[in-house]
Structure formats: C-alpha cells, structure tokens
Amino acid sequence: MEIYEGKAKKIIPLDDGKAVMEFKDDTTAFDGRKKAQFRGKGWLNAQISARLFKLLEERGIKTHFIGVAGEDRLIVERLRMYPIEVVVRNVVAGSLKKRLPLEEGTELSEPIVELYYKDDSLGDPMINHYHARVLGISEEEIREMELIALKVNEILRKYFAERGIILVDFKLEFGKNERDEIILADEISPDTCRFWDAKTGKSLDKDVFRFDRGDLISAYEELYKRLTGEA
Ligand code: 5GP
C-alpha cells in the first residue's frame, strides 16, 4: 500500500483498515512557497490534535482518531478523502479580509462556512456547492460536512474560550469510511486553526510563521499548556 506524503504529514497505511499519521517538523505557508523546520512541532501538533479529536468524539462527532502511537504519530481510520477543505470563521482574519469590507478582528454576526478545492497548483481556490457537485460530491454530502463543521465550531469555540483563547477560524477535512459514513479527518492543530490570546490578541498558531511574529514553538507550547494544563 502506498505511503502518502504531504507537506506537514505522512500517512502510512496499515493492513487492517487503519493508518499511521506522522506529523512532521516541516512547516510551509503560501502554497508551499515559504518553508522551514521547527524541532518539536510534529510532537506538539500530534498531541494537540489527539486532545481535540478525543474531545470531539466525547461530544458525539465521528472522527478518524483511534489512538496515539508515539510522540508524533496517531493511529487513524483509513478513509477515502474528499478533495476539499471546509473553513469555519468566527472573527475576521486572513483571506476573509479580501472578501468582506470588515476590519481584522471584527467578530462575525454568525459563523461563516467556506469550501476550498485542495490543489496547490490552483492555489486552493474557494468553491461553492455547484463546483463541489461538478467535482462529484453530492449536495447531501456537502451539507453534512458543513453541519459537522458548524457543530465542531460550537464545541471548540466554547472550549477554547474557557481557556482564554479566541478560536478565530479553522480548516477541516473529511473522508468516507467503508460504511460510507462521513468522518472528520486530517488534523486540528495550530497549523490549521487561528487562535488568539483573548487578553493580548497574540497569535498562538501558524500566523507566527506566516508573518514572522516571533518563535513558533513557544506559541504552540503556550497553546498546548492552556489546553492540557501541562508544561
Ligand atoms: P485563510 O483562508 O484565512 O488563509 O485560512 C482560514 C483558516 O483555515 C486558517 O485558520 C488557516 O490556518 C486554515 N487553512 C486554510 N487553508 C489551509 C491550508 O491549505 N493548510 C492549512 N494548514 N491550513 C489552512
């Protein structure tokens, strides 16, 4: 079975319907045009993702998470992945500034859900339901992913707020299992979410790397500490 290697993770299939998801220390931004390595990032993202998947499972969300298999490795269910990213936003930041006449940091009157087609050579373009259907994803499937994404947002937004962190926005990916169920997959980490310190507004996520806002590992460690209470 083929090993899949992405920019920040490796997926190593096992022969029992499971896979190992290995988190790399590599970081990329702007469709791979900016690159670096941070020792310990793989460990942090694996542990943070594991915590968040466990929390979501406890709250009734079906995820691909099975267990932790080592410092930077998770065991996950193997899925047929949808080639789309589902982004949920609570606060104006990032690419939303190019779409709405609202200032960075403005809280949205309701969460916004967006779909993107996952393709670096096209620059991960934003798509709508029509595009998704042409890509072979049914209206029912799209609506289910959007509903799950909004539920995930409700759970995580509250959970982080209780820990002094604003969940600004995040990206989710989904796949289908053998039973044709839609399952939350990929990772949920500071690589894929924007987290702002509620008091200082400081980024505790990949924007630290994207926009040279200081030390990435310290920011990720701070997030881990707030999440787990562990140093
Ligand atoms: P934006 O569209 O503002 O760049 O991103 C919105 C949110 O989705 C951010 O939290 C960002 O980290 C996440 N996101 C969007 N696309 C990607 C992607 O291709 N890779 C990763 N790691 N995160 C993404």
Side-chain angles (χ1 to χ4, degrees):
M1 272 174 285
E2 213 176 314
I3 293 180
Y4 165 79
E5 182 153 8
K7 294 191 291 279
K9 293 189 298 292
K10 242 190 235 175
I11 311 287
I12 305 140
L14 303 171
D15 47 20
D16 55 357
K18 297 177 188 160
V20 172
M21 179 174 257
E22 190 180 295
F23 289 69
K24 303 200 270 188
D25 286 344
D26 300 351
T27 301
T28 67
F30 309 117
D31 298 324
R33 279 173 281 130
K34 183 170 176 174
K35 286 185 200 154
Q37 269 204 337
F38 296 95
R39 239 183 104 204
K41 191 199 71 134
W43 183 87
L44 282 158
N45 277 355
Q47 303 304 321
I48 292 167
S49 281
R51 290 267 174 171
L52 296 177
F53 279 132
K54 266 186 225 166
L55 168 75
L56 292 172
E57 285 277 352
E58 283 164 17
R59 307 286 168 90
I61 305 282
K62 286 183 193 152
T63 81
H64 70 158
F65 176 74
I66 297 172
V68 176
E71 294 203 331
D72 53 4
R73 291 171 157 221
L74 306 183
I75 302 287
V76 297
E77 183 179 9
R78 253 171 65 204
L79 302 170
R80 282 166 286 141
M81 293 299 292
Y82 290 99
I84 61 172
E85 301 180 337
V86 182
V87 168
V88 183
R89 303 176 182 275
N90 298 306
V91 175
V92 177
S95 67
L96 187 61
K97 284 180 290 186
K98 290 187 251 164
R99 253 180 261 291
L100 293 180
L102 298 172
E103 267 186 49
E104 169 133 332
T106 310
E107 191 176 331
L108 298 168
S109 54
E110 60 177 293
I112 290 178
V113 184
E114 296 169 345
L115 303 175
Y116 291 85
Y117 177 52
K118 215 174 134 72
D119 185 325
D120 275 347
S121 68
L122 293 178
D124 287 355
M126 189 161 106
I127 59 168
N128 62 30
H129 286 211
Y130 290 85
H131 300 94
R133 288 201 301 273
V134 168
L135 288 171
I137 307 168
S138 74
E139 188 62 27
E140 225 187 340
E141 291 171 296
I142 305 162
R143 289 200 188 275
E144 188 172 341
M145 283 186 255
E146 289 177 339
L147 261 179
I148 300 171
L150 283 169
K151 243 188 241 168
V152 168
N153 183 48
E154 258 178 50
I155 297 165
L156 294 186
R157 195 177 184 183
K158 179 157 178 285
Y159 187 80
F160 279 103
E162 287 163 0
R163 285 156 182 80
I165 291 167
I166 300 167
L167 177 61
V168 173
D169 54 33
F170 58 92
K171 182 258 302 179
L172 300 177
E173 293 184 31
F174 293 88
K176 235 179 184 185
N177 67 11
E178 302 266 276
R179 280 162 279 141
D180 275 348
E181 294 170 308
I182 294 182
I183 305 290
L184 178 60
D186 198 52
E187 67 182 295
I188 309 178
S189 76
D191 268 14
T192 59
C193 306
R194 283 198 175 91
F195 298 115
W196 291 353
D197 185 306
K199 270 208 194 106
T200 64
K202 240 179 67 182
S203 291
L204 300 174
D205 57 57
K206 196 160 124 179
D207 275 352
V208 171
F209 168 69
R210 290 191 188 101
F211 306 112
D212 303 313
R213 290 189 188 149
D215 179 41
L216 177 122
I217 293 296
S218 315
Y220 283 32
E221 276 173 353
E222 175 62 28
L223 184 87
Y224 179 79
K225 217 162 58 185
R226 300 268 190 102
L227 201 59
T228 62
E230 294 164 22

